[in-house]
């Protein structure tokens, strides 16, 4: 399988070999990767060459190391295109997955100065505060907090937000959703995120803050989410 006379570096060939086994399902998420020594003997190469291949696969997110336990095959990441505005529910259904949420709290609260400024409302105006865990096929994907203008998006109930908020807004309230602005940054998971997203202490997460607008330009929603970086990645198509 390894051609030592090929212009392609040996570590790259070993990378491709392991990738192929993952793609074919011979190595499944959660499986332990054979130790470096075993690969070194199999391919008759140095352990440093194997380590280079393994490091590249770790950097690509295909495998991960767990201190004291070994190297494991990672779960496949969900790709989220940055073009187009969809809800979490719509996005997961489009992937053939079953979306669900675990509601942590649902309250009507007075808007803080910061929330009011973003939603273009007066301070202390009522807003819905919704905290929930977003899941796909019962796997926690994100910890989400929403702030929604209660005077604009009326009649919200737990039943509605457990289904599809955007569908309720467009079909029941007959309001047209237009666009959103979104900021993404990386961080390390805090204690609450570790507990609720079932990840390890110090794991990376993607922090996303989005403000969503109706077609007439009125902001109606702020969403602050902590996504599991081991299960999610964002893609965009750029044109010159």
């Amino acid at each position: 399988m390894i051609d030592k006379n090929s212009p392609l570096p040996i570590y790259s060939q070993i990378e491709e070999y392991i990738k192929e086994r993952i793609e074919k399902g011979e190595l499944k998420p959660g499986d332990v990767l054979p130790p470096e020594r075993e690969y070194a003997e199999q391919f008759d190469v140095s352990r440093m060459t194997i380590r280079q291949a393994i490091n590249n696969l770790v950097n690509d997110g295909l495998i991960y190391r767990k201190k004291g336990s070994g190297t494991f095959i990672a779960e496949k990441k969900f790709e989220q295109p940055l073009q187009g505005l969809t809800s979490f529910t719509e996005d997961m259904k489009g992937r053939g997955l079953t979306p669900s949420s675990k509601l942590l709290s649902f309250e009507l609260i007075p808007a803080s100065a910061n929330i009011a400024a973003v939603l273009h409302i007066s301070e202390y105006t009522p807003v819905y505060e919704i905290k929930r865990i977003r899941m796909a096929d019962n796997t926690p994907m994100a910890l989400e907090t929403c702030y929604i203008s209660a005077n604009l998006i009326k009649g919200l109930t737990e039943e509605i937000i457990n289904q599809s908020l955007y569908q309720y807004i467009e079909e029941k309230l007959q309001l047209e959703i237009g666009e959103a602005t979104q900021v993404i940054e990386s961080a390390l998971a805090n204690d609450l995120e570790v507990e609720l997203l079932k990840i390890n202490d110090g794991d990376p997460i993607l922090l996303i803050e989005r403000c969503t607008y109706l077609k007439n330009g009125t902001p109606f929603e702020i969403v602050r989410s902590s996504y599991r970086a081991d299960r999610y990645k964002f893609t965009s198509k750029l044109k010159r």
Side-chain angles (χ1 to χ4, degrees):
M1 295 176 212
I2 299 303
D3 182 0
K4 293 187 178 180
N5 295 317
S6 169
L8 189 67
I10 292 174
Y11 68 81
S12 294
Q13 295 181 53
I14 295 170
E15 274 182 67
E16 290 305 313
Y17 165 76
I18 297 173
K19 282 181 183 178
E20 189 175 329
R21 292 198 65 200
I22 293 172
E23 288 168 2
K24 287 181 176 178
E26 296 171 5
L27 289 171
K28 297 179 173 60
D31 284 354
V32 182
L33 204 66
E36 291 178 3
R37 173 187 49 78
E38 191 173 313
Y39 275 135
E41 292 174 358
Q42 178 182 345
F43 296 115
D44 190 24
V45 296
S46 70
R47 290 181 65 171
M48 187 164 292
T49 299
I50 300 299
R51 191 167 297 127
Q52 177 67 61
I54 298 298
N55 286 341
N56 290 348
L57 291 168
V58 169
N59 292 337
D60 287 344
L62 293 174
I63 63 177
Y64 65 95
R65 292 187 176 96
K66 192 180 287 187
K67 194 172 181 180
S69 300
T71 306
F72 297 82
I73 307 302
E75 293 282 355
K76 187 175 180 180
K77 290 189 178 185
F78 296 110
E79 287 193 20
Q80 172 65 50
L82 290 176
Q83 298 89 1
L85 175 55
T86 58
S87 68
F88 180 87
T89 298
E90 292 167 338
D91 185 36
M92 291 301 108
K93 284 183 176 178
R95 300 171 191 275
L97 303 171
T98 302
S100 60
S101 298
K102 181 179 179 182
L103 188 63
L104 302 176
S105 65
F106 175 56
E107 300 180 78
L108 197 61
I109 65 169
S112 66
N114 179 261
I115 296 296
V118 176
L119 292 178
H120 296 179
I121 57 179
S122 301
E123 190 176 357
Y124 307 119
T125 298
V127 294
Y128 294 106
E129 181 188 67
I130 305 161
K131 295 183 179 181
R132 51 188 172 174
I133 304 170
R134 308 307 300 263
M135 296 181 284
D137 286 350
N138 292 319
T139 299
M141 297 298 296
L143 179 60
E144 178 185 275
T145 301
C146 296
Y147 298 95
I148 299 172
S149 178
N151 290 339
L152 185 61
I153 309 302
K154 299 178 180 179
L156 282 189
T157 64
E158 288 189 20
E159 183 180 0
I160 291 168
I161 62 175
N162 281 331
Q163 295 173 12
S164 176
L165 174 63
Y166 283 13
Q167 185 177 353
Y168 171 78
I169 291 171
E170 294 184 314
E171 295 181 7
K172 184 68 175 178
L173 299 183
Q174 294 292 296
L175 297 172
E176 288 189 272
I177 297 173
E179 61 182 17
T181 57
Q182 188 163 266
V183 176
I184 304 173
E185 58 183 321
S186 62
L188 297 180
N190 60 32
D191 291 343
L192 182 63
E193 290 158 346
V194 166
E195 178 188 352
L196 297 179
L197 296 179
K198 301 189 186 305
I199 56 179
N200 298 314
D201 188 33
D203 274 0
I205 56 170
L206 295 171
L207 293 177
I208 302 171
E209 180 161 330
R210 182 167 82 183
C211 181
T212 318
Y213 301 81
L214 297 177
K215 211 160 190 178
N216 64 8
T218 304
F220 71 89
E221 172 195 54
I222 300 169
V223 184
R224 294 171 178 165
S225 305
S226 303
Y227 275 85
R228 289 178 54 164
D230 65 328
R231 298 302 309 276
Y232 235 78
K233 63 181 178 181
F234 290 83
T235 62
S236 62
K237 185 176 182 180
L238 305 176
K239 290 185 179 181
R240 184 173 175 81

